Amino acid sequence: MGRRNLEYLLNPHSVALIGASDRPRSVGATVMRNLLHGGFAGAVWPVNWKRASVAGIRAYRTVADLPAAPDLAVVCTPAPSIPSLIGDLGARGTRAAVVISAGLEQKSGTGGTLASAMLEAAGAYRFRILGPNCIGLLVPGIGLNASFAHTGAQPGPLAFVAQSGALTTAMLDWASEQRVGFSHFVSLGNATDVDFGDLLDYLATDLQTRAILLYIESITHARKFMSAARAAARNKPVIVVKAGRTNEAARAAQSHTGALAGADGVYEAAFRRAGILRVDTMRELFDAAELLSHLRPYRGPRLAIVTNGGGLGVLATDALIRGGGQLARFGGSTARRLQAILSSTSPPDNPLDIGGDARPERYVTSLGAVLEDPEVDATLVIHAPTAVSSVAEVATACLPVLAEARGPALACWMGSTGIASTAPAAGARDAVPVYSTPEEAVGAMMHIVRYHDSQALLREVPASICAQCKPDIVAARTILARALTEGRAVLTEPESKEVLAAYGVPVVETRIVRDTVELSQTAADLGYPIALKILSPDISHKSEVGGVALDIESAEEAQRAAASMLERCRKLKPQARVEGFSVQKMIRRGGAHELIVGMALDATFGPTILFGQGGTAVEVIADRAIALPPLNTVLARDLISQTRVHHILSGYRDRPSADLAAIEQTLIKVSQLAADLPEVVELDINPLLADERGVIALDARIVIRPTVARGTERFAIRPYPIGLEESVEHHGLHLLLRPIRPEDFEQHRRFLGRISREDLRTRFFSALREVPERDLAYLTQIDYERQMAFIAVARGEDGSDETVGVARACTDADNAEAEFAVLVRSDLKQHGLGSLLLEKLIRYCRSRGTRSMTGEVLSENTPMLRLAAAKGFRVVHKDAGVVELTLDLRPSAIAGVTSSRGQSLAGVRGPAPCDASR
């Protein structure tokens, strides 16, 4: 249910404790103590059917006896009582509860579990439940401690959400010692209702929360999580520790891709796609949050290291390079300045060793040169105490200088016991993060780099879509349907290649022969040399049984190879069904790289795309990366860049670069195949040969199963909804009305460039000369699950596509309300284009089950107000010359809405770029 009614859970004005107790060390007594002693200003009502008072406060026998409906209920009664209690609370008017009790997985009297009965009772009232089996929650800013934790929390800017109760209480202890404060501290428990996605939606816009920290063991609703995470990560840092890095179930997968796409790798891909920073430890979680929430403008990854110990500089450099970082190279003028400062006979290098006898003054002058170097993006100072310079002296001198740095600046004080009492004023100290080892400091720098890389990936604009890359979906579906009709779960190699060819993936011609008699003629037709492979639905990896023979030059050699294969299969796989052989022309491309491209289904996130170094040793080499589809050129390039083989593909020495664009297009086509063909559950292309001439698939395998679902329904991220494209003739213009794509960035920039300043003012309610580039990326890179932007595309005078109008809607997480806006090119107003786009938007929102559409318009815009009235919008005048428009989309309210053309709706202010994820 998204954010609905979460304000009662996270910002209540009154709380009832069901199961309150005075019994020492009981859950009911502990929660009651925490509620009373946390500083909560609202009413606290204990409910205990046996006692007249609890903790000296009047108690109530039942929920019905309470003086009013509490905003929040905390429930710690036995599990069988909870479904009826939730029903009673909902009927009373309460809309949220923390269910601390465990044991709701047991059967209820109606046959299902107690948990399902609890949810059924809650559903009638849109009642939100945190838990069951949780510690509870703390909101220190309002003094709320609705938990049975042994200690409270201090107010602060960090929100912490975790699944583990034991970890939650341990982190409260640690946070108290480290003086870390929280805006919210939440234990999810079993997350039967309220989950990570819901809380991310709430915390993303919470003004008291500067960063969101997550401890995740598992995700249940992947699409909701991804939409919420991508939206939140654009607003503030979201940092995660994910437990459980192994995935034993991967061993049972049928193909290379299934075996490699382990659960942890998929989670890694999901976090990367969402713009979430993943760290390994709980200490790193809080360090990264503190670091990112105080960060100065990011300039780049190039780090300069200034130290009084050469060994310390070497350690830091090793950690930096191992972590994928980049060492800055000093510019010529900087090197000369440093040479003079250090009285060196040669220009100093990075890491900069200023000598073990360095006094604070030498640090300061050296830092002055380094910080002014345009080739340096970030700076790390490392100091080991000496007889001539203590840590306190160096810190006092350096921290104010580092605090004024233009980019990130970090410090490492070795042997820094007692530094807090002797360091400079808190302002300088707080502005510069301080670490106790070089490795910790470099790790912090890499958190900064990875976080900004993920943010940049969200904003990067992909290349235009190839107009000729239209798959032959009908041909592919025909092959799948035939195999399913025959009861087969695995396509033959030639069938697999036919499917790939239908999507434009270059494949080597492959033919099937059923016996050795056909082999000679087929080989002669193809021409020698040939490659011969065993054909069996029961043999996944042909090389394991010697089922591949290459460079066969004659009919006699082919016959011998076939006979040997059959003999080996009978010996090694006696139960395997051998259906013949596949024969293909031998492809000789000296220097070509063997790659693997695949698709597999993850139980949580649905289809995943795999890329890496291929060949028969693919599992041993273990060089692969995983991404969530849908992919575009930017995301495909990012997937390739995560592998070691990427460096080889880029060319080296006399080896030319492989055709990276062709590899990217292959990944995109496999991503599209996964969306179009839901029957495909696994796909391997191994090897995919790649060189400067392009790519070609030498071997392929596709596993299928019957399904009635659409391919896009299984995606964690909703792909481009091609079915919403619509061609129309309008006032002499041939228009394509379609959803906006990330590739429309430049086209949309040109469109906005033809909007008058007055129309920009009425659209954005501010005087804009142009829309900032960051916002322009947000406007074109949308989350189709929660947003829609229909553009009207016409053919320009130069023959290129041009946008002439756009209508967009941004729904809340519950899909209850969509905030809308429409904008038409200024020279095309008064032609009904705005009305055309708005009608399509209304139809779309209604088909998605959205309850209402809202927007704001300046009261001076009377033409727009007339059009809105004609469309059925309710008009409500607000303050400051603004009018609110609302359209009820529920079935009972849609009769009689008329069509009106002639206005542009350029004056509707609707959604700002809410979630601009791809």
Side-chain angles (χ1 to χ4, degrees):
M1 285 193 286
R3 291 186 53 173
R4 183 170 296 277
N5 289 333
L6 284 187
E7 67 273 16
Y8 298 108
L9 178 70
L10 299 171
N11 190 23
H13 297 290
S14 57
V15 180
L17 175 58
I18 318 298
S21 174
D22 280 323
R23 182 163 51 87
R25 298 185 180 275
S26 67
V27 173
T30 303
V31 177
M32 189 67 187
R33 181 199 66 208
N34 288 343
L35 285 170
L36 295 179
H37 296 165
F40 181 61
V44 176
W45 297 318
V47 176
N48 185 311
W49 70 279
K50 292 182 177 179
R51 301 181 66 88
S53 66
V54 173
I57 296 176
R58 178 188 171 185
Y60 300 86
R61 288 179 54 81
T62 67
V63 169
D65 295 329
L66 290 170
D71 287 346
L72 173 66
V74 182
V75 183
C76 48
T77 58
S81 67
I82 289 175
S84 62
L85 276 173
I86 295 298
D88 293 343
L89 286 163
R92 188 73 169 84
T94 302
R95 291 295 176 263
V98 177
V99 178
I100 291 174
S101 312
L104 274 82
E105 65 279 359
Q106 60 187 285
K107 294 293 184 181
S108 69
T110 58
T113 64
L114 291 172
S116 61
M118 175 185 70
L119 289 178
E120 184 177 354
Y125 305 103
R126 298 186 179 276
F127 193 104
R128 305 313 306 272
I129 297 172
L130 177 66
N133 191 26
C134 69
I135 296 295
L137 68 92
L138 297 88
V139 186
I142 62 172
L144 178 67
N145 185 347
S147 77
F148 73 97
H150 64 296
T151 186
Q154 295 298 312
L158 305 180
F160 180 68
V161 184
Q163 284 178 307
S164 166
L167 181 75
T168 302
T169 55
M171 292 315 300
L172 281 173
D173 270 345
W174 179 88
S176 177
E177 294 173 2
Q178 300 296 318
R179 299 180 183 177
V180 174
F182 298 94
S183 64
H184 302 80
F185 198 96
V186 183
S187 164
L188 280 177
N190 293 353
T192 304
D193 173 30
V194 175
D195 59 13
F196 284 110
D198 298 323
L199 291 171
L200 281 167
D201 276 322
Y202 183 92
L203 296 169
T205 56
D206 178 62
L207 298 180
Q208 306 306 313
T209 300
R210 198 159 58 203
I212 303 170
L213 316 183
L214 308 176
Y215 170 81
I216 293 177
E217 294 176 355
S218 62
I219 296 294
T220 48
H221 305 292
R223 183 174 286 192
K224 180 173 75 169
F225 173 81
M226 291 301 294
S227 289
R230 293 159 75 202
R234 288 188 179 274
N235 289 335
K236 58 193 66 173
V238 180
I239 309 165
V240 64
V241 168
K242 166 65 176 69
R245 285 183 173 270
T246 61
N247 182 25
E248 300 302 323
R251 296 178 181 174
Q254 287 184 297
S255 66
H256 286 302
T257 302
L260 294 173
D264 191 70
V266 178
Y267 274 96
E268 187 80 42
F271 298 149
R272 185 179 181 91
R273 183 68 177 273
I276 293 175
L277 175 64
R278 184 180 187 180
V279 296
D280 293 326
T281 67
M282 299 304 296
R283 177 60 184 265
E284 284 183 325
L285 186 72
F286 287 94
D287 282 352
E290 190 68 17
L291 180 70
L292 296 177
S293 58
H294 289 96
L295 197 61
R296 278 186 289 271
Y298 179 71
R299 300 174 63 192
R302 299 171 299 180
L303 178 68
I305 302 169
V306 179
T307 178
N308 69 337
L312 298 176
V314 172
L315 285 174
T317 301
D318 280 345
L320 182 70
I321 301 307
R322 281 199 309 269
Q326 186 176 341
L327 202 62
R329 290 184 179 275
F330 295 138
S333 62
T334 302
R336 287 189 292 272
R337 285 180 63 185
L338 291 170
Q339 187 175 3
I341 292 169
L342 302 178
S343 302
S344 174
T345 58
S346 59
D349 204 353
N350 185 23
L352 179 64
D353 182 359
I354 64 174
D357 62 345
R359 293 284 298 148
E361 295 78 11
R362 191 185 300 171
Y363 271 101
V364 171
T365 53
S366 298
L367 278 175
V370 170
L371 293 173
E372 292 176 10
D373 191 337
E375 301 300 313
V376 172
D377 299 320
T379 306
L380 167 63
V381 174
I382 308 174
H383 174 73
T386 66
V388 298
S389 295
S390 69
V391 168
E393 290 173 315
V394 172
T396 299
C398 290
L399 288 178
V401 178
L402 293 172
E404 298 300 320
R406 291 173 296 173
L410 308 96
C412 170
W413 309 140
M414 305 292 289
S416 57
T417 303
I419 184 61
S421 61
T422 55
R429 189 172 66 243
D430 293 344
V432 180
V434 175
Y435 301 90
S436 58
T437 69
E439 293 83 0
E440 286 180 356
V442 169
M445 176 61 191
M446 293 314 302
H447 290 329
I448 297 172
V449 172
R450 290 193 291 117
Y451 174 72
H452 282 278
D453 283 350
S454 69
Q455 293 296 300
L457 186 66
L458 293 176
R459 297 190 298 270
E460 194 170 346
V461 179
S464 298
I465 295 174
C466 173
Q468 286 72 44
C469 300
K470 298 286 187 181
D472 188 346
I473 300 176
V474 173
R477 285 177 175 161
T478 300
I479 296 167
L480 301 186
R482 181 175 63 239
L484 289 171
T485 300
E486 295 172 1
R488 290 189 284 128
V490 181
L491 299 187
T492 64
E493 180 187 346
E495 287 174 328
S496 298
K497 290 178 177 175
E498 286 182 58
V499 172
L500 292 173
Y503 276 79
V505 177
V507 299
V508 62
E509 182 183 1
T510 303
R511 299 184 188 178
I512 292 178
V513 297
R514 297 301 177 186
D515 51 41
T516 55
V517 176
E518 295 180 50
L519 176 58
S520 298
Q521 183 60 53
T522 300
D525 292 343
L526 288 173
Y528 291 97
I530 63 166
L532 184 68
K533 304 175 187 178
I534 201 72
L535 189 65
S536 169
D538 303 316
I539 300 175
S540 296
H541 308 310
K542 294 180 279 289
S543 59
E544 293 178 354
V545 295
V548 179
L550 306 178
D551 292 305
I552 296 175
E553 298 282 0
S554 65
E556 293 76 14
E557 191 177 346
Q559 292 292 327
R560 288 196 300 271
S564 297
M565 272 186 207
L566 290 174
E567 179 61 28
R568 283 192 297 272
C569 286
R570 280 192 289 266
K571 181 178 180 181
L572 298 174
K573 291 274 188 178
Q575 305 302 320
R577 294 164 293 168
V578 176
E579 298 177 347
F581 305 90
S582 65
V583 187
Q584 61 191 48
K585 178 74 176 174
M586 191 70 201
I587 301 297
R588 287 176 171 164
R589 288 167 69 160
H593 305 279
E594 288 191 337
L595 306 174
I596 181 172
V597 170
M599 187 277 286
L601 279 186
D602 180 74
T604 300
F605 290 95
T608 61
I609 305 298
L610 179 140
F611 171 81
Q613 188 168 348
T616 56
V618 61
E619 286 98 343
V620 177
I621 296 171
D623 177 25
R624 71 273 184 170
I626 299 169
L628 297 187
L631 299 183
N632 55 31
T633 55
V634 168
L635 297 168
R637 191 179 313 126
D638 178 66
L639 174 60
I640 296 168
S641 72
Q642 296 174 54
T643 60
R644 298 190 301 274
V645 74
H646 169 253
H647 301 290
I648 301 174
L649 294 173
S650 300
Y652 61 97
R653 294 181 183 173
D654 60 340
R655 293 281 297 272
S657 171
D659 188 344
L660 293 174
I663 301 172
E664 291 168 11
Q665 286 300 316
T666 301
L667 290 165
I668 292 169
K669 290 166 182 174
V670 170
S671 168
Q672 184 63 48
L673 184 154
D676 294 337
L677 306 176
E679 298 87 356
V680 175
V681 294
E682 289 180 20
L683 180 152
D684 268 351
I685 306 173
N686 184 27
L688 177 74
L689 282 191
D691 57 19
E692 71 278 9
R693 291 173 287 175
V695 299
I696 186 167
L698 297 191
D699 202 352
R701 184 172 185 272
I702 293 177
V703 178
I704 59 176
R705 68 180 178 212
T707 181
V708 294
R710 290 180 298 177
T712 58
E713 291 177 353
R714 56 186 184 164
F715 276 48
I717 300 170
R718 189 183 179 199
Y720 176 78
I722 193 171
L724 297 176
E725 293 184 353
E726 175 187 3
S727 294
V728 299
E729 297 292 332
H730 182 75
H731 286 223
L733 285 175
H734 178 73
L735 299 175
L736 175 63
L737 306 184
R738 64 167 175 83
I740 203 166
R741 296 187 295 240
E743 292 82 2
D744 293 320
F745 181 91
E746 288 299 333
Q747 184 174 311
H748 212 64
R749 187 204 297 275
R750 294 192 297 270
F751 162 66
L752 292 174
R754 300 184 68 174
I755 304 296
S756 69
R757 285 192 187 180
E758 176 61 16
D759 284 349
L760 284 176
R761 181 184 72 84
T762 56
R763 164 62 178 89
F764 295 102
F765 281 32
S766 61
L768 293 176
R769 291 180 178 272
E770 61 181 16
V771 177
E773 188 161 301
R774 178 184 175 94
D775 287 350
L776 188 57
Y778 287 179
L779 290 169
T780 54
Q781 299 171 10
I782 66 173
D783 177 3
Y784 297 116
E785 181 67 12
R786 296 187 177 183
Q787 289 178 279
M788 181 51 64
F790 289 117
I791 59 173
V793 181
R795 187 72 65 185
E797 293 180 358
D798 61 354
S800 63
D801 287 346
E802 58 181 30
T803 299
V804 295
V806 58
R808 67 178 64 244
C810 178
T811 66
D812 56 33
D814 303 304
N815 194 32
E817 180 179 283
E819 198 178 350
F820 82 99
V822 184
L823 186 61
V824 171
R825 209 172 73 185
S826 297
D827 61 327
L828 292 176
K829 292 163 61 174
Q830 307 301 321
H831 290 83
L833 188 53
S835 179
L836 180 72
L837 286 164
L838 180 58
E839 287 175 357
K840 184 172 180 66
L841 191 64
I842 291 171
R843 291 196 303 271
Y844 171 78
C845 289
R846 185 174 291 139
S847 72
R848 295 272 294 173
T850 309
R851 296 188 187 92
S852 66
M853 293 173 62
T854 65
E856 291 183 341
V857 61
L858 295 175
S859 57
E860 65 201 55
N861 194 341
T862 52
M864 174 58 227
L865 296 175
R866 285 199 299 268
L867 178 57
K871 294 290 184 185
F873 282 84
R874 182 169 55 88
V875 178
V876 177
H877 289 267
K878 300 173 67 179
D879 296 334
V882 175
V883 174
E884 184 178 75
L885 307 175
T886 303
L887 179 65
D888 192 336
L889 296 176
R890 291 172 297 180
S892 59
I894 65 176
V897 176
T898 60
S899 171
S900 174
R901 301 183 183 273
Q903 309 301 333
S904 74
L905 280 100
V908 176
R909 180 176 70 169
C914 32
D915 170 33
S917 313
R918 289 189 185 96

